[in-house]
Amino acid sequence: PPALSAALEDIADAMGCPDPPSASEAFRSFLAWLQLPVPAVGPDVTPEALAATVNPERLANTPVTLDETTLCRLYRSILSQISH
């Protein structure tokens, strides 16, 4: 969506990067530099359980609508990366 593209361009610009993919790589490098531990995730943590804890009012000002289905998809992606 155009709003998302514009937001990602703004973020890249704020980070001093030429484009969103460069900003993503810079952010990944920053996270690696921080050496944060990956949190342990128990079997009771599911994308649906996590999505149910999100306060929709707090997401009202995001440039992209994040409904429960989208949140589940995002959490599923995140959890699949943590569990590997």
Side-chain angles (χ1 to χ4, degrees):
L4 177 59
S5 295
L8 292 174
E9 290 289 341
D10 289 345
I11 292 168
D13 186 54
M15 293 176 68
C17 296
D19 53 41
S22 299
S24 176
E25 184 54 40
F27 188 68
R28 287 178 190 267
S29 295
F30 173 69
L31 290 177
W33 177 79
L34 290 175
Q35 298 180 351
L36 297 173
V38 176
V41 178
D44 58 330
V45 176
T46 65
E48 293 76 17
L50 291 170
T53 66
V54 174
N55 180 346
E57 290 177 21
R58 303 222 17 149
L59 298 177
N61 65 347
T62 60
V64 177
T65 303
L66 297 171
D67 58 13
E68 189 170 347
T69 301
T70 304
L71 288 169
C72 284
R73 190 172 62 240
L74 289 169
Y75 281 127
R76 192 169 288 109
S77 175
I78 292 165
L79 290 173
S80 70
Q81 292 178 29
I82 290 175
S83 63
H84 287 119

